[in-house]
């Protein structure tokens, strides 16, 4: 019983620490190359194309 109680307490402490860390983390502005990559439609790949590539590779 004591081990389970300790594990539960540890899990609660861990989740509280994560909450505190996530709340204090500020998002940075994206770097110029990140913005360019996000805005570039040439590099976008359709979901169907990805599925097709995966199926082709798995059939080899």
């Amino acid at each position: 019983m004591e081990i389970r109680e300790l594990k539960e307490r540890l899990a609660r402490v861990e989740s509280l620490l994560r909450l505190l860390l996530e709340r204090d983390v500020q998002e940075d502005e994206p770097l110029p190359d990140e913005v360019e990559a996000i805005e570039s439609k040439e590099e976008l790949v359709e979901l169907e194309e990805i599925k097709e590539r995966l199926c082709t590779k798995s059939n080899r």
Side-chain angles (χ1 to χ4, degrees):
M1 281 294 231
E2 288 182 25
I3 292 176
R4 186 172 64 194
E5 188 178 321
L6 286 172
K7 286 182 179 181
E8 290 173 0
R9 287 183 181 183
L10 213 68
R12 269 188 261 145
V13 169
E14 184 180 2
S15 64
L16 287 173
L17 286 173
R18 281 190 182 148
L19 176 67
L20 289 172
L21 289 172
E22 288 174 2
R23 189 172 21 154
D24 289 337
V25 172
Q26 297 176 1
E27 283 195 33
D28 294 333
E29 290 294 318
L31 298 173
D33 60 334
E34 291 175 323
V35 172
E36 181 182 338
I38 292 169
E39 293 175 348
S40 174
K41 294 189 185 264
E42 294 173 6
E43 296 179 22
L44 294 179
V45 179
E46 295 289 327
L47 181 59
E48 292 303 317
E49 184 179 343
I50 293 170
K51 288 180 183 177
E52 184 179 315
R53 287 181 187 181
L54 288 172
C55 289
T56 305
K57 286 183 180 181
S58 66
N59 289 335
R60 289 184 184 176

